[in-house]
Amino acid sequence: MSEKNREGKRTARERLQEQREMDKARQKRKRGLIVGGSVVAVLAIAAVIGMVVANNNSGGGSGTPAAAPVGATGTNKLVIPTGATDAPSTLTVYEDFRCPACGQFEKTYRDTIHSLQDSGQMKVDYHIVRIIDTNLGGTGSLIAGNAAACAQDQNKFRDFHDVLYENQPPETSDKFAQKPYLLQLAAKVPGLTNPAFTACVNNGTYDAWIKAANADFGKSGYNSTPTVLLNGKSIYADPKNPLTPDKLKQMVAAANKGKKAGTATPTVTPSTSVSPSASASASASG
């Protein structure tokens, strides 16, 4: 064999060997990419699961009831009761302080509700929700709801509740998100504003409680505010059978026939304690 032929065969073998080495290197890189991609995918899935769990656990969903205002009742203490605790009838109201329909309900029925409460015929259980925040954006429903819960700690819920609706802004303005404005409104209620109340409003003490009440409303089967029940039966917003103040009185009278009026009032000792951190925050915010 000539020297030229031997050199040609050697060169061919070298080229084949080089090609094999290149193929091995490509296969190794491919395996590395597959393994690395799998790890990234697993980590990404884990991150998504973590986000879902975190979201589901927010707003009192972790299994631990959110801190509730003084005197709150019901499952996980998500209800603020007003009126005689032994009244024979119960009006249940799901409301949102930004909700214009809730404002209209209050304007129409407030005096009737107060009369029935004060005479011991009916107590009212309030569930405070924040569906307008969800639908329109903003935080006014949440922050006003927290302020109302703070007023409950001072045994001033009903008075402040009425002041909020008397001064309800258009739902699109979200003015209730401004804590100084809520504190300004609170000054209209004699005896409400004090360091404990101010700190409670500024620190969003019951934000998680409002979120938990809102989540509970989502499971109730109702989807709008106000939702109004008398002794467990929905009585409002039926166009075929519209409610009126006189009709509400008649319905309560019929339900209470033969029953004694309530006389027991909820015992709520106003809270005056302020933690050092809350006091500092209140001072900074005020």
Side-chain angles (χ1 to χ4, degrees), residues 240-263:
K240 297 180 180 178
N241 186 26
L243 185 67
T244 66
D246 284 342
K247 185 177 291 186
L248 176 59
K249 291 178 182 178
Q250 293 167 9
M251 293 171 72
V252 170
N256 292 354
K257 189 173 182 180
K259 300 176 183 178
K260 293 182 179 180
T263 57

Side-chain angles (χ1 to χ4, degrees), residues 21-34:
E21 292 298 328
M22 291 174 64
D23 289 343
K24 289 179 181 179
R26 279 197 297 270
Q27 289 297 324
K28 185 176 181 180
R29 287 196 300 271
K30 185 176 180 181
R31 287 194 298 271
L33 288 172
I34 292 173

